[in-house]
Amino acid sequence: MAGRPRSVMERAYAEIKKQFMTLELAPGAVVDDMQISEKLGISRTPAREALFRLASEGLIVADPGKSGFFVKPLDLLDLSSLFEAHMMTARTISRLLAARATQSDIVKLRRAEAKVVRAIERQRPAEVASSNAELHRLEATASGNGYLGGLACSIHDHGQRLGYLAFGGATSWDSLHDHFLQVQQDHRELIDAYENRDPDAAESVAGRHVLLFRDRIFSFLTENPTGAVDLGGDILPSVRLDRVDSE
């Protein structure tokens, strides 16, 4: 019985995080722990524990004096800082992996890469975003530096929501063909560089890959579509993001 409360909290955590990643919980939206507990058929305590855990990860904002909890907004200042951190960690992790990756790590990375390819072929935005983030979290873990890996995994948690928007969750799939070809090429070249013990090549591709993602995000934002989900932030209040059903 001792494990039951933990498993209930984990289920609530996973469900709320999924809603965050796919914008079912929109940026800036209030998150009602009572509604979550009722929807999941659980008590309020594990729902709140899950929200506080997400708050500790920076995905949910805890504001007990006002709304209680709300979804972290998106704004240009935050995105700029995110990509700055993303670039620094990606380049460093790539060099570490080129020196440290085992053959077992390479096998795992190639399997993760194949999942991204399958998600692209199926044209499933949420799956593309999650499998892409999973691949890069695996890189972070395999780097052998727990501090750096923890930071990188946090960055990819935040990036996964952006990935969902930019990888078809809120834009036309047809416009992404060339982007996805480059994504797949970058992934292959990165893993090849790890396997060949080539840190310079790995760092070069890793930096290029971050810029590819950054440019896709900012291209998406400058297209300025209209829709039902806005950024929820103060810097770009006029920019709104369409949600397109991925099914």
Side-chain angles (χ1 to χ4, degrees):
M1 294 298 292
R4 180 174 172 76
R6 178 69 175 174
S7 66
V8 172
M9 188 280 286
E10 291 285 355
R11 182 162 63 92
Y13 168 83
E15 178 59 29
I16 299 167
K17 190 170 185 178
K18 177 183 175 182
Q19 292 179 22
F20 172 93
M21 294 299 183
T22 58
L23 270 81
E24 186 175 342
L25 288 174
V30 173
V31 185
D32 190 322
D33 56 308
M34 285 295 291
Q35 288 183 356
I36 290 172
S37 63
E38 291 173 3
K39 180 178 180 180
L40 297 179
I42 62 177
S43 69
R44 191 177 181 184
T45 297
R48 288 181 64 82
E49 288 175 348
L51 287 168
F52 277 117
R53 177 176 170 185
L54 289 162
S56 73
E57 296 173 359
L59 306 181
I60 297 291
V61 179
D63 188 6
K66 295 182 180 179
S67 303
F69 300 94
F70 61 92
V71 181
K72 181 178 175 63
L74 292 168
D75 59 46
L76 280 182
L77 181 61
D78 189 55
L79 293 182
S80 178
S81 296
L82 178 66
F83 281 115
E84 185 175 70
H86 191 179
M87 177 63 78
M88 297 301 292
T89 56
R91 291 173 62 182
T92 304
I93 283 171
S94 68
R95 295 194 71 88
L96 289 176
L97 270 175
R100 297 175 177 176
T102 66
Q103 191 55 43
S104 176
D105 291 329
I106 298 300
V107 170
K108 291 176 183 177
L109 288 167
R110 293 206 186 277
R111 287 175 180 166
E113 176 207 3
K115 288 180 66 176
V116 179
V117 173
R118 288 195 296 272
I120 292 171
E121 291 172 347
R122 294 169 181 165
Q123 299 189 11
R124 296 178 178 174
E127 189 177 328
V128 172
S130 63
S131 60
N132 182 73
E134 180 183 340
L135 169 61
H136 293 303
R137 289 190 196 100
L138 185 58
E139 287 178 310
T141 302
S143 73
N145 186 306
Y147 294 104
L148 189 60
L151 174 59
C153 286
S154 175
I155 290 168
H156 289 299
D157 272 352
H158 290 274
Q160 186 175 333
R161 176 169 62 160
L162 295 171
Y164 173 76
L165 290 171
F167 297 160
T171 191
S172 168
W173 192 268
D174 293 339
S175 67
L176 298 171
H177 179 265
D178 290 344
H179 175 79
F180 283 140
L181 287 179
Q182 187 61 56
V183 165
Q184 293 173 76
Q185 180 178 332
D186 284 355
H187 287 169
R188 288 193 300 270
E189 290 186 17
L190 263 175
I191 300 172
D192 287 345
Y194 301 151
E195 189 166 31
N196 294 333
R197 301 293 189 199
D198 190 338
D200 292 336
E203 182 179 2
S204 176
V205 177
R208 184 181 78 199
H209 193 58
V210 173
L211 292 178
L212 178 70
F213 183 42
R214 183 204 64 183
D215 291 348
R216 170 86 278 275
I217 295 300
F218 283 103
S219 288
F220 171 80
L221 292 177
T222 55
E223 290 166 4
N224 194 16
T226 58
V229 180
D230 65 28
L231 289 165
D234 296 328
I235 294 179
L236 293 175
S238 64
V239 179
R240 301 176 68 82
L241 308 176
D242 280 328
R243 283 189 63 210
V244 177
D245 190 351
S246 62
E247 296 301 323

